Amino acid sequence: SQQGEEDPQALSIQEGENATMNCSYKTSINNLQWYRQNSGRGLVHLILIRSNEREKHSGRLRVTLDTSKKSSSLLITASRAADTASYFCATANAGGTSYGKLTFGQGTILTVHP
Amino acid sequence: DGGITQSPKYLFRKEGQNVTLSCEQNLNHDAMYWYRQDPGQGLRLIYYSQIVNDFQKGDIAEGYSVSREKKESFPLTVTSAQKNPTAFYLCASRPPGNTIYFGEGSWLTVV
């Protein structure tokens, strides 16, 4: 079963606007990761946030984590047409080994119009 | 170049036929994974392997088989028992405790 659920399923914005995607999960986690997938390609890792962290930044990306609500958000600021892709959250369950499997959500399809 | 290589990129399977998808990595990662992705959907775990000669079923292992005879290689066989195999298949590898690295994927279509 899917651990993470992204919201919204699809998001359409204009270039320069900010895009916010949310992810909810059900069980305790060690970390939560966000990945990007261009159409028909493999996934690329964007950012990892550990369960004891609340916010993390990487370039135009900002990720927050609220373990009390079991939710995370990914903010892309000043979006570009090249940001058009699907974005997935993935969770590593607490108590698992460092090789433990990641569970992916259904993804948010982001379209940025020039 | 270091990375994960999946082949073939496109594969067609006839009814009742077994096919094997190749996955090779030169990242020296112990753990390897196979995911299935249906159009517009997320990833579902088929099988994963933490070390050579060991692997575990994921959430949707029925109709699939794997082997892990070498650290670099984790081939996936889609058997005739998999009734709906048309999908995008992603192989991945992972170092301890860190992020997962994906191949470019293989498209499998039943004809």
Side-chain angles (χ1 to χ4, degrees):
Chain A
S1 62
Q2 292 291 337
Q3 162 80 312
E5 296 291 338
E6 283 94 341
D7 170 57
Q9 291 186 331
L11 181 61
S12 182
I13 60 174
Q14 294 297 126
E15 211 166 26
E17 294 180 342
N18 294 342
T20 299
M21 290 159 267
N22 303 296
C23 170
S24 60
Y25 57 92
K26 297 176 182 176
T27 61
S28 296
I29 60 171
N30 277 333
N31 64 71
L32 185 144
Q33 302 175 37
W34 286 91
Y35 288 80
R36 167 194 168 126
Q37 183 183 35
N38 287 354
S39 182
R41 306 291 297 275
L43 279 73
V44 175
H45 177 259
L46 294 176
I47 196 165
L48 179 152
I49 187 166
R50 303 189 189 283
S51 59
N52 61 353
E53 297 176 313
R54 292 296 167 260
E55 187 170 312
K56 204 162 183 180
H57 296 255
S58 177
R60 294 185 295 114
L61 305 180
R62 188 187 84 157
V63 169
T64 61
L65 179 64
D66 187 336
T67 53
S68 66
K69 294 182 179 178
K70 292 187 169 57
S71 68
S72 173
S73 67
L74 170 68
L75 168 67
I76 304 174
T77 60
S79 64
R80 305 166 182 168
D83 293 329
T84 295
S86 294
Y87 292 82
F88 295 88
C89 67
T91 52
N93 291 348
T97 67
S98 60
Y99 290 102
K101 62 180 184 178
L102 288 179
T103 305
F104 286 81
Q106 299 294 322
T108 292
I109 301 172
L110 173 65
T111 303
V112 182
H113 299 281
Chain B
D1 287 347
I4 301 171
T5 302
Q6 289 189 237
S7 63
K9 180 67 176 180
Y10 300 95
L11 186 60
F12 298 90
R13 193 194 92 168
K14 295 180 180 179
E15 294 284 348
Q17 191 178 51
N18 292 355
V19 293
T20 297
L21 306 178
S22 170
C23 178
E24 302 281 331
Q25 55 102 355
N26 59 5
L27 300 169
N28 201 33
H29 293 166
D30 287 320
M32 296 187 74
Y33 304 80
W34 274 106
Y35 287 89
R36 168 180 171 143
Q37 186 178 30
D38 292 283
Q41 300 297 313
L43 280 66
R44 292 185 290 169
L45 182 63
I46 305 173
Y47 268 98
Y48 65 106
S49 169
Q50 297 182 4
I51 56 172
V52 174
N53 293 322
D54 182 65
F55 48 83
Q56 288 82 39
K57 293 181 179 180
D59 300 316
I60 55 164
E62 185 175 352
Y64 300 97
S65 66
V66 293
S67 63
R68 188 82 187 278
E69 297 177 0
K70 298 187 299 181
K71 188 175 185 177
E72 306 80 36
S73 179
F74 191 40
L76 173 73
T77 297
V78 184
T79 75
S80 57
Q82 172 50 241
K83 299 306 179 187
N84 184 25
T86 295
F88 188 51
Y89 290 86
L90 287 157
C91 179
S93 69
R94 183 181 182 189
N98 289 322
T99 62
I100 193 168
Y101 297 82
F102 284 87
E104 285 298 297
S106 294
W107 292 93
L108 174 62
T109 303
V110 174
V111 296

